[in-house]
């Protein structure tokens, strides 16, 4: 990320940058943004900051602003609508589709708050972001997307969920407009339909690579039988295979269960190991030598014998379920001091860090240094801490604002969006891939006694990955 002095050298007017701004800029931006300085010309605007747009009738009455344009590198096809012709004085319009009503309204509003924070940090007077409410029905997102495109949206940010993204995709494809969805479901990614969410596959790969570097070669997964749990389990199997390790066990459990006794007992091979202990004690009890007596005394203090087939267990769950499951594993003698517990970004929860039976556990998540500053500024502005996903809306909005600095020809091409050098945002570095997926630079954390600490820092550049 570049600081204020660097932005001045780029020609970005100081009035559009606050000294506390957390700016998201392409690492390849030297040639890209070098000519983007100054306030945008051609618009004739006398405003000194980003425009607050009036929502469409279907949208909530909240501040807005916009940015972006059609994917210039999408192959021409009869179904593609020509790029909009922007009349002198027109704003660069960007739509953001969020659930601003219904059961997920709270998280939708947090995303909108973060987008507006980016708007006032980065955008100028010609950038207009217009929010649209997708409500509680994923299919409503398709109708809302059509309205946004009819209103002149050149880029769509959001929606939040995979089903809503699927409903938006055909309309965006037809219009040749890129979508930056906040979903983390790989299945909805496509050419020009990007998923910005934290992909489970990347999180698993990051923590497994670290674990194998520490000598762990045998892994297991104990996951909820949900799309997320199945995705994480497949990711573990794929990653270990590629890393020269092995997934020796993968167990899925009913996420609705309230009793993990049977699940943990079976996963721990408890009965088999208990029988092995009884057999060993019986064998030693018939001997009268001192070594056998000492060994028998030692066994009296043990619950089981025989090593488990795995050295690490991936537990991709959170909340009360995880806080119930982990102690039950310990009860059946899966000792966290001998078997490393692994997690995903779901472990970004203080209550999990304080669970004694997960002590020493590792998980991968975005670096917290820059995000902490963003969270503090968000809390000052809106009176609450933002959820982790809110940073996605900040990054997407800031990126679009910066790429639209060329008033006459903002660069939202597929080539620019998928720059291999990537971008730096409030959740660390990330890059968008031509297939619609993303890749992030994640840190590895260890939890213990209610605290978490970085044990392997997040990379600052993708450069080593492309040399």
């Amino acid at each position: 990320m570049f600081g204020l002095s660097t932005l001045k050298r780029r020609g970005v007017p100081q009035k559009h940058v606050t000294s506390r701004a957390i700016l998201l800029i392409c690492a390849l931006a030297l040639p890209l943004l070098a000519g983007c300085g100054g306030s945008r010309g051609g618009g004739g605007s006398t405003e000194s900051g980003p425009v607050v747009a009036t929502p469409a009738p279907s949208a909530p009455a909240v501040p807005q602003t916009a940015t972006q344009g059609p994917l210039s590198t999408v192959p021409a096809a009869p179904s593609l609508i020509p790029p909009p012709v922007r009349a002198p004085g027109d704003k660069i319009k960007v739509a953001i589709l969020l659930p601003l009503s219904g059961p997920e309204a709270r998280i939708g509003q947090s995303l909108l708050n973060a987008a507006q924070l980016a708007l006032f940090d980065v955008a100028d007077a010609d950038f207009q972001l217009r929010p649209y409410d997708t409500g509680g029905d994923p299919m409503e997102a398709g109708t809302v997307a059509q309205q946004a495109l009819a209103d002149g949206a050149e880029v769509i940010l959001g929606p939040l969920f995979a089903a809503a993204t699927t409903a938006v995709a055909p309309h965006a494809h037809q219009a040749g407009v890129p979508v930056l969805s906040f979903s983390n479901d790989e299945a909805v990614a496509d050419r020009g339909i990007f998923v910005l969410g934290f992909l489970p596959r990347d999180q698993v790969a990051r923590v497994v690579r670290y674990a194998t570097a520490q000598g762990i070669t045998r892994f297991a997964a104990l996951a909820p039988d949900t799309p997320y749990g199945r995705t994480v389990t497949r990711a573990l199997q794929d990653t270990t295979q590629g890393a020269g390790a092995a997934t020796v066990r993968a167990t899925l459990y009913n996420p609705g269960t309230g009793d993990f006794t049977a699940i943990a007992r079976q996963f721990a091979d408890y009965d088999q190991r208990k029988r092995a202990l009884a057999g060993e004690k019986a064998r030693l009890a018939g001997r009268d030598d001192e070594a056998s007596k000492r060994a028998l005394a030692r066994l009296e203090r043990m619950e089981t014998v025989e090593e488990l087939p795995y050295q690490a267990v991936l537990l991709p769950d959170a909340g009360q379920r995880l806080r119930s499951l982990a102690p039950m594993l310990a009860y059946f003698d899966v000792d966290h001091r001998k078997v490393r517990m692994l997690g995903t970004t779901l472990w970004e929860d203080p209550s999990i860090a304080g669970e004694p039976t997960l002590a020493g556990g590792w998980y991968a998540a975005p670096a917290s240094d820059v995000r902490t500053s963003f969270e503090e500024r968000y809390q000052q502005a809106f009176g609450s801490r933002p959820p982790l996903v809110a940073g996605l809306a900040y990054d997407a909005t800031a990126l679009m604002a910066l790429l639209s600095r060329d008033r006459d020809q903002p660069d939202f091409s597929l080539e620019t969006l998928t720059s291999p050098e990537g971008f730096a945002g409030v959740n660390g570095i990330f890059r968008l891939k031509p297939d619609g997926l993303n890749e992030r630079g994640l840190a590895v954390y260890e939890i213990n006694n209610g605290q978490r600490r970085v044990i392997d820092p997040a990379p600052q550049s993708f450069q080593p990955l492309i040399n």
Side-chain angles (χ1 to χ4, degrees), residues 4 145 162 167 218 391:
L4 181 59
R218 292 176 282 112

Side-chain angles (χ1 to χ4, degrees), residues 17 31-32 201 249 267 291 308 358 371 407 432 450:
V17 183
L32 177 65
R201 181 171 299 274
R249 182 167 300 173
F267 188 80
L308 285 161
L358 293 174
R371 189 174 78 248
R407 174 64 180 86
L432 304 177

Side-chain angles (χ1 to χ4, degrees), residues 199-210:
L199 300 181
R201 181 171 299 274
D202 283 353
Q203 299 161 41
V204 173
R206 179 70 170 95
V207 74
V208 167
R209 285 197 302 266
Y210 179 79

Side-chain angles (χ1 to χ4, degrees), residues 105-143:
R106 182 178 179 184
I107 192 168
Q109 185 60 52
S110 71
L111 286 159
L112 182 58
N113 290 344
Q116 292 182 97
L117 193 61
L119 167 65
F120 289 105
D121 279 348
V122 184
D124 65 15
D126 293 310
F127 184 88
Q128 185 183 85
L129 186 70
R130 180 180 292 267
Y132 293 82
D133 183 12
T134 59
D137 181 3
M139 295 302 100
E140 181 65 19
T143 302

Side-chain angles (χ1 to χ4, degrees), residues 307-378:
E307 292 294 323
L308 285 161
Y310 43 81
Q311 298 165 287
V313 178
L314 180 61
L315 300 172
D317 213 333
Q320 186 57 51
R321 273 208 310 256
L322 182 57
R323 292 195 299 273
S324 298
L325 176 58
M328 194 58 66
L329 287 174
Y331 180 80
F332 288 111
D333 209 26
V334 180
D335 190 341
H336 68 275
R337 292 166 296 185
K338 298 178 182 178
V339 176
R340 186 73 61 175
M341 302 299 168
L342 307 178
T344 65
T345 55
L346 293 179
W347 284 25
E348 287 275 275
D349 179 348
S351 68
I352 291 174
E355 170 53 51
T357 56
L358 293 174
W362 298 337
Y363 71 98
S368 61
D369 47 359
V370 177
R371 189 174 78 248
T372 297
S373 178
F374 160 71
E375 291 174 345
E376 290 172 351
R377 295 173 55 250
Y378 181 103

Side-chain angles (χ1 to χ4, degrees), residues 373-428:
S373 178
F374 160 71
E375 291 174 345
E376 290 172 351
R377 295 173 55 250
Y378 181 103
Q379 184 164 28
Q380 290 174 0
F382 302 105
S384 62
R385 301 290 285 188
L388 182 62
V389 72
L392 303 179
Y394 183 99
D395 286 354
T397 303
L399 175 59
M400 294 305 104
L402 287 164
L403 294 181
S404 66
R405 288 286 177 182
D406 185 336
R407 174 64 180 86
D408 296 323
Q409 191 174 1
D411 189 354
F412 307 120
S413 66
L414 189 60
E415 180 181 7
T416 295
L417 292 174
T418 59
S419 166
E421 284 77 3
F423 309 93
V426 299
N427 290 303

